[in-house]
């Protein structure tokens, strides 16, 4: 049999095999690397893989560890953890609940607003869902909210951190797309391509993030109007009205200043994402200090949590590097190129297939696992078909946010299930997120047909 064909068959089987191993419950990083090494041995035995290719891993690992852009990841994680520990999220939720309390659906609207603010100041999805689930869900249930609406709005708002900057997903995606785009453009004869920066990806994600927030808010307003019992008003007692605006200022100004300092400095070109992340980390420490929450115990917890999350993400990235080398060297990239290039509709057909595969993988894999596996394999083909890299990165982010919400395996659903009271059934959570999944799909379709919503702001700023 033709060695090229054997290699492509092994590459396809390796992709299926790693999904099977992950479904058995093995750790992701070791599943990626272990499956790749196993198939590499089979390929070596069949004469279609040279194990000396593993020698390039050392250089790749050193490159990842010395990558200045990726230093922003632990800094943004630390910032998010410190803000969570400082009680800013709790104060925001309680204050916004009072501010919107006189409106039907006001508590739900406050959750959406706080979800967007926390996404723009932390970018840590799991912590946001859990925090809002612990604080807002009991309050909404006491106020007489439909449990399905309450759980749906909390899950949807909590996942905004996937797409609203400073999303750690966008940092990794921007770094990968930058290298891939440069390589693709050089192969096409363009030796001075426009750079793809993390800042440009952040700028591209702002309008889609605001679009999702608007869609969520419109849905809640319409739902409260059509079914008032599902989202009743919770008027603020007269005794608390006098001090309400002072509470709003105290709760809202600190995170807004932090957002302006971090995102504003990136978008204005004053600071790189890494420099802005360091400013954000110092800002989170100062906010904790001003609130009297900065203790040695809290700082220790934040550092340990940051180290744990960062180690998890990077060990997955290292495992994905092993997988990528074996897959490519056995001809998997050629197989993917031929498959996507032959899709009816050209680039449009290829994009639809890639988005569908990512959406389905979101049922069983975490966001980082998906981008580390799928982006290096598919992005070179899509960019070679003249797909805009900024548009592609943001579309992938919104798509993965959608799969993060979709029953029965959406990770956000499990985060909320872990902190929801026992009278909230899993079925209620599933039914509650369905309207928001539909809104996510509406946003995806809108961004597909109107790419300017993504590309306009980066074009203006960069």
């Amino acid at each position: 049999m033709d060695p090229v064909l054997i290699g492509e068959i092994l590459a396809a089987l390796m992709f299926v095999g790693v999904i099977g191993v992950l479904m058995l419950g093995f750790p992701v990083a070791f599943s990626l690397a272990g499956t790749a090494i196993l198939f590499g041995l089979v390929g070596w035995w069949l004469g279609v893989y040279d194990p000396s290719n593993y020698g390039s891993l050392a250089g790749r690992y050193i490159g990842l560890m010395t990558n200045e852009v990726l230093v922003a990841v632990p800094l943004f994680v630390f910032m998010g953890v410190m803000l969570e520990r400082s009680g800013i999220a709790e104060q925001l939720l309680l204050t916004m609940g009072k501010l919107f309390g006189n409106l039907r659906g006001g508590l739900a609207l406050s959750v959406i607003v706080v979800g967007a603010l926390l996404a723009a100041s932390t970018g840590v999805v799991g912590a946001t869902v859990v925090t809002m689930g612990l604080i807002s869900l009991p309050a909404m249930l006491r106020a007489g909210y439909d449990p399905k609406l309450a759980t749906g709005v909390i899950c949807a708002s909590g996942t905004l951190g996937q797409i609203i900057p400073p999303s750690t997903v966008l940092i990794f995606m921007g770094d990968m797309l930058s290298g891939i785009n440069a390589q693709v453009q050089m192969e096409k004869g363009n030796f001075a391509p426009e750079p793809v920066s993390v800042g440009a990806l952040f700028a591209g994600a702002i309008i889609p993030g605001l679009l999702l927030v608007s869609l969520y808010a419109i849905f809640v307003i319409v739902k409260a109007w059509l079914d008032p019992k599902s989202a009743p008003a919770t008027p603020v007692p007269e005794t608390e009205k006098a001090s309400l605006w002072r509470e709003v200022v105290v709760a809202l100004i600190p995170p807004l200043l932090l957002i302006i300092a971090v995102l504003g400095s990136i978008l204005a070109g004053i600071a790189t994402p890494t420099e802005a992340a360091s400013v954000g980390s110092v800002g989170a420490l100062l906010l904790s200090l001003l609130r009297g929450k900065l203790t040695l115990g809290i700082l220790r917890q934040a550092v340990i949590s940051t180290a744990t999350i960062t180690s998890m993400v990077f060990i997955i990235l290292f495992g994905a590097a092993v997988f990528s080398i074996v897959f490519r060297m056995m001809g998997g990239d050629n197989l993917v190129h031929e498959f996507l290039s032959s899709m009816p509709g050209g680039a449009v057909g290829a994009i639809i297939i890639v988005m569908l595969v990512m959406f389905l993988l979101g049922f069983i894999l975490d966001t980082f696992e998906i981008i580390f596996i799928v982006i290096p394999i598919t992005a070179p083909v899509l960019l070679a078909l003249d797909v805009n890299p900024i548009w592609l990165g943001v579309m992938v982010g919104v798509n993965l946010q959608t799969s993060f919400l979709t029953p029965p395996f959406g990770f956000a659903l499990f985060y909320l299930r872990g902190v929801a009271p026992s009278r909230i059934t899993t079925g209620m959570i599933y039914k509650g997120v369905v309207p928001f999944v539909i809104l996510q799909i509406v946003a995806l379709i809108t961004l597909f047909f109107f790419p300017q919503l993504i590309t306009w702001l980066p074009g203006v700023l960069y």
Side-chain angles (χ1 to χ4, degrees):
M1 188 181 291
D2 183 8
V4 175
L5 181 60
I6 294 174
E8 290 180 349
I9 291 172
L10 284 176
L13 289 175
M14 185 172 73
F15 189 84
V16 175
V18 79
I19 300 300
V21 171
L22 290 170
M23 292 183 71
L24 292 174
F26 288 98
V28 176
F30 306 117
S31 298
L32 289 170
T35 304
I37 290 171
L38 180 62
F39 273 85
L41 290 172
V42 174
W44 182 32
W45 178 58
L46 294 175
V48 296
Y49 179 74
D50 184 357
S52 65
N53 289 313
Y54 290 131
S56 64
L57 283 172
R60 182 173 293 195
Y61 287 170
I62 290 172
L64 289 171
M65 289 187 289
T66 56
N67 188 325
E68 191 174 307
V69 173
L70 298 185
V71 175
V73 173
L75 290 171
F76 276 129
V77 172
F78 177 78
M79 182 177 79
V81 174
M82 279 305 302
L83 289 175
E84 178 199 351
R85 297 283 193 273
S86 68
I88 285 178
E90 181 177 356
Q91 186 182 23
L92 262 176
L93 281 165
L94 295 175
T95 306
M96 291 297 110
K98 292 179 183 178
L99 183 64
F100 292 109
N102 290 327
L103 302 174
R104 284 189 301 199
L107 282 179
L109 290 173
S110 70
V111 168
I112 295 170
V113 171
V114 172
L117 288 172
L118 292 179
S121 54
T122 68
V124 182
V125 171
T128 305
V129 174
V130 169
T131 300
M132 294 200 297
L134 287 170
I135 300 167
S136 293
L137 186 56
M140 295 171 84
L141 295 177
R142 284 196 302 270
Y145 269 67
D146 182 344
K148 296 189 290 295
L149 176 62
T151 54
V153 78
I154 289 172
C155 286
S157 302
T159 57
L160 288 170
Q162 288 276 76
I163 188 64
I164 294 180
S167 163
T168 50
V169 172
L170 293 180
I171 294 173
F172 279 107
M173 202 135 48
D175 184 65
M176 285 190 285
L177 288 173
S178 176
I180 293 170
N181 185 61
Q183 181 182 347
V184 169
Q185 293 302 319
M186 288 180 68
E187 290 173 356
K188 295 172 73 172
N190 180 9
F191 295 101
E194 291 186 13
V196 179
S197 66
V198 173
L201 207 58
F202 279 4
I206 288 176
I207 293 177
L210 294 175
L211 173 64
L212 287 171
V213 171
S214 302
L215 288 174
Y216 295 168
I218 291 169
F219 170 75
V220 167
I221 292 168
V222 172
K223 174 76 173 173
W225 179 59
L226 295 176
D227 184 11
K229 291 183 180 179
S230 67
T234 53
V236 180
E238 290 295 330
T239 54
E240 297 182 17
K241 282 185 177 180
S243 61
L244 179 57
W245 285 106
R246 185 181 64 82
E247 292 180 30
V248 170
V249 170
V250 170
L252 197 58
I253 294 302
L256 278 180
L257 289 176
L258 193 63
I259 292 168
I260 292 169
V262 174
L263 282 185
S265 60
I266 295 173
L267 298 178
I270 298 171
T272 65
T274 304
E275 292 166 345
S278 63
V279 171
S281 297
V282 173
L285 285 170
L286 289 175
L287 291 181
S288 300
L289 180 64
L290 291 173
R291 291 179 56 82
K293 299 284 187 177
L294 186 59
T295 64
L296 191 60
I298 286 178
L299 186 60
R300 181 174 178 274
Q301 291 174 12
V303 170
I304 291 173
S305 182
T306 301
T308 303
I309 295 171
T310 306
S311 300
M312 176 198 72
V313 172
F314 275 85
I315 197 68
I316 293 171
L317 182 55
F318 291 163
V322 183
F323 180 90
S324 178
I325 282 178
V326 178
F327 186 85
R328 284 171 177 270
M329 292 301 122
M330 288 200 297
D333 51 351
N334 293 328
L335 182 65
V336 171
H337 187 279
E338 292 170 7
F339 174 71
L340 292 178
S341 299
S342 63
M343 283 292 104
V348 173
I351 289 167
I352 291 172
I353 291 296
V354 171
M355 289 296 171
L356 183 60
V357 169
M358 284 189 163
F359 180 79
L360 295 175
L361 287 176
F363 291 165
I364 55 174
L365 300 179
D366 190 20
T367 305
F368 291 107
E369 299 152 18
I370 295 171
I371 63 172
F372 293 158
I373 297 172
V374 179
I375 293 293
I377 294 172
T378 60
V381 185
L382 296 177
L383 297 186
L385 293 171
D386 294 325
V387 174
N388 185 296
I390 301 296
W391 180 83
L392 176 63
V394 175
M395 286 291 288
V396 168
V398 177
N399 187 24
L400 293 177
Q401 183 187 347
T402 306
S403 64
F404 216 75
L405 268 180
T406 305
F409 304 111
F411 284 85
L413 314 181
F414 297 129
Y415 288 140
L416 185 60
R417 173 67 280 173
V419 297
S422 56
R423 68 188 180 98
I424 300 297
T425 65
T426 303
M428 289 178 181
I429 298 175
Y430 284 178
K431 291 177 183 176
V433 297
V434 167
F436 294 94
V437 172
I438 294 171
L439 293 175
Q440 290 277 152
I441 295 171
V442 168
L444 264 175
I445 294 171
T446 303
L447 296 172
F448 185 86
F449 285 106
F450 299 96
Q452 300 85 354
L453 292 172
I454 296 173
T455 58
W456 174 76
L457 189 57
V460 171
L461 295 177
Y462 296 90

